């Protein structure tokens, strides 16, 4: 099966700083990737759809200026949490589809202190 | 908008027994996919089983099978011969293809925490 790699697995940052999370499709090309957010003991909520070579599509209520998404190549999408605050602490997961199946990264646990 | 409902926040089953997890969904679409994902403590999302809405036959994958009732918009997961390694969160998910059969985003239910007891 296809492999999606997400990095880092966990990160701790100070309030007010920015953090970049990478999502790579290792053995296939992905024109579309998805970014989800998961709060403790809750489900995954779609944040945005990342489109290669064009602007991301954000879900209602997601601040596009805070969660910057860049999909510069067919194998890499990045999510940058800008000016992070403690309420941004969460588990972030990316996915990409191959052969009509979604493959997920390992997730990134972000803690803002 | 599509919604997915899992009415069982937690369930437990004895090892080697059978358990059924419930899922209902709401959509006006005729073509879509349904999935069950497993999320163990590592939090890696693992596909358990998928069902295409246009297929009447229920999908099966080894010990996992579904009961897909399209008219009732119901998609339950049956786990037979439960094993300790089945302990995890289970999410039911809906997906409408966006173009050319490509994957659209997944809409998840709130999940069911399954505990398999020895």
């Amino acid at each position: 099966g296809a492999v999606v790699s997400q990095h880092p697995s966990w990160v701790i940052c100070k309030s007010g700083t920015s953090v970049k999370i990478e999502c790579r499709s290792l053995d296939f090309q992905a024109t579309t990737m998805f970014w989800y957010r998961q709060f403790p003991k809750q489900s995954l909520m779609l944040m945005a759809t990342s489109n290669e070579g064009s602007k991301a599509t954000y879900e209602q209520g997601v601040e596009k200026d805070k969660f910057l998404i860049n999909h510069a190549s067919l194998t890499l999408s990045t999510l940058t949490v800008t000016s992070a605050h403690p309420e941004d602490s969460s588990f972030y997961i990316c996915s990409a589809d191959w052969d009509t199946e979604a493959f997920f990264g390992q997730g990134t646990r972000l803690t803002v202190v | 908008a599509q919604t997915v409902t899992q009415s069982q926040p937690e369930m437990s089953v004895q090892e080697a027994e059978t358990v059924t997890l419930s899922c209902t969904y709401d959509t006006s679409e005729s073509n879509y996919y349904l999935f069950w994902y497993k999320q163990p403590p590592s939090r890696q999302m693992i596909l358990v089983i998928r069902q295409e809405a246009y297929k009447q036959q229920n999908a099966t994958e080894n010990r996992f099978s579904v009961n897909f009732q399209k008219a009732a918009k119901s998609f339950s997961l049956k786990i037979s011969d439960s094993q300790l390694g089945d302990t995890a969160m289970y999410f039911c998910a809906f997906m409408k293809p966006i173009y050319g059969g490509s994957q659209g985003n997944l809409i998840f239910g709130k999940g069911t925490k399954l505990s398999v007891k020895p």
Side-chain angles (χ1 to χ4, degrees):
Chain A
V3 178
V4 173
S5 178
Q6 190 172 337
H7 178 81
S9 298
W10 59 271
V11 57
I12 302 174
C13 71
K14 290 185 177 180
S15 185
T17 62
S18 295
V19 174
K20 179 185 285 188
I21 303 170
E22 293 186 347
C23 181
R24 292 181 184 273
S25 55
L26 296 186
D27 47 5
F28 67 102
Q29 294 181 330
T31 56
T32 303
M33 292 185 177
F34 301 96
W35 287 95
Y36 297 86
R37 183 173 182 175
Q38 185 179 29
F39 289 106
K41 298 184 179 181
Q42 293 191 26
S43 188
L44 283 74
M45 297 298 293
L46 180 69
M47 297 177 64
T49 301
S50 173
N51 304 297
E52 188 269 333
S54 65
K55 291 183 179 180
T57 305
Y58 291 82
E59 294 300 297
Q60 190 173 10
V62 177
E63 299 176 62
K64 60 182 66 177
D65 294 330
K66 172 175 249 329
F67 298 100
L68 299 180
I69 291 173
N70 183 274
H71 196 152
S73 78
L74 287 170
T75 59
L76 174 64
S77 175
T78 60
L79 168 67
T80 302
V81 183
T82 63
S83 186
H85 290 286
E87 57 265 31
D88 299 324
S89 298
S90 189
F91 191 68
Y92 295 87
I93 311 176
C94 69
S95 78
D97 71 291
W98 182 76
D99 196 21
T100 71
E101 182 177 331
F103 292 88
F104 289 85
Q106 305 94 317
T108 298
R109 182 184 301 278
L110 170 63
T111 302
V112 185
V113 298
Chain B
Q2 291 81 15
T3 59
V4 177
T5 303
Q6 292 179 251
S7 59
Q8 305 151 316
E10 293 191 38
M11 291 193 73
S12 65
V13 63
Q14 291 295 129
E15 194 175 6
E17 307 238 314
T18 296
V19 64
T20 298
L21 308 183
S22 301
C23 173
T24 58
Y25 60 95
D26 188 27
T27 184
S28 58
E29 302 290 335
S30 58
N31 182 31
Y32 52 88
Y33 295 85
L34 295 165
F35 304 85
W36 278 98
Y37 282 92
K38 170 184 176 180
Q39 188 180 44
S42 68
R43 304 191 80 170
Q44 174 73 53
M45 295 293 286
I46 301 167
L47 177 64
V48 175
I49 199 165
R50 63 182 275 164
Q51 174 82 43
E52 289 92 342
Y54 63 87
K55 290 186 177 179
Q56 292 185 340
Q57 187 173 7
N58 290 324
T60 61
E61 285 289 343
N62 301 314
R63 298 182 295 107
F64 300 89
S65 62
V66 297
N67 183 2
F68 174 47
Q69 301 290 328
K70 190 173 184 179
K73 297 180 181 175
S74 171
F75 182 61
S76 61
L77 173 70
K78 185 171 81 171
I79 305 174
S80 304
D81 186 26
S82 296
Q83 300 176 0
L84 296 178
D86 295 334
T87 293
M89 281 290 291
Y90 285 82
F91 293 100
C92 178
F94 171 99
M95 189 275 284
K96 182 186 78 170
I98 51 177
Y99 58 85
S102 183
Q103 179 89 331
N105 64 278
L106 291 161
I107 299 169
F108 290 91
K110 292 189 175 182
T112 296
K113 183 178 180 180
L114 177 66
S115 299
V116 180
K117 300 184 184 302

